Amino acid sequence: MTFDYAAGIVAGYLRPKRRGLSGSPVRATQPGISVVIPSRNGKELLAAQLGSIVPHVTETIVVDNGSDDGTAAWLAREWPAVRVDLSASPLSFAHAVNSGIARSRFSHICLL
């Protein structure tokens, strides 16, 4: 076992439990499913898929990850029930999904 691995295990045990992404206490959530979809210039893929996703989940969040194809405006016009988290510049996949998770309001989260 390497030192880094052992230190990680110890840190996991010592860290306060039930903390959110920003270190704040985890907020109470309602039962339901939040779907988080990071997207960069993916308007056509979203158009093909949202019809089979949105009606079946409690909340859909699209993290518009620096798109320049008009995705955010299109979502606002065509899918007003979809929550849009707009980033002016591209984010990493991890940053994009964490941003969407932070905005989610329901107990279960599905990343697409």
Side-chain angles (χ1 to χ4, degrees):
M1 178 182 314
T2 67
F3 175 75
D4 292 337
Y5 180 75
I9 290 173
V10 171
Y13 285 114
L14 297 177
R15 184 181 58 181
K17 304 299 184 218
R18 304 280 303 153
R19 304 302 279 180
L21 295 174
S22 64
S24 60
V26 173
R27 61 189 164 25
T29 55
Q30 304 170 40
I33 301 171
S34 294
V35 173
V36 176
I37 307 170
S39 176
R40 182 157 194 261
N41 295 327
K43 180 170 60 172
E44 283 150 24
L45 183 59
L46 290 169
Q49 301 301 319
L50 286 177
S52 61
I53 297 169
V54 173
H56 303 288
V57 298
T58 319
E59 171 182 56
T60 306
I61 301 168
V62 172
V63 181
D64 185 5
N65 203 358
S67 295
D68 57 12
D69 67 349
T71 298
W74 174 79
L75 285 167
R77 186 176 60 253
E78 299 294 324
W79 293 96
V82 171
R83 297 178 66 201
V84 179
D85 182 359
L86 185 59
S87 172
S89 60
L91 306 171
S92 68
F93 176 80
H95 192 170
V97 297
N98 284 336
S99 179
I101 290 169
R103 290 180 168 268
S104 67
R105 296 178 291 186
F106 295 95
S107 58
H108 293 80
I109 297 171
C110 175
L111 304 177
L112 295 180

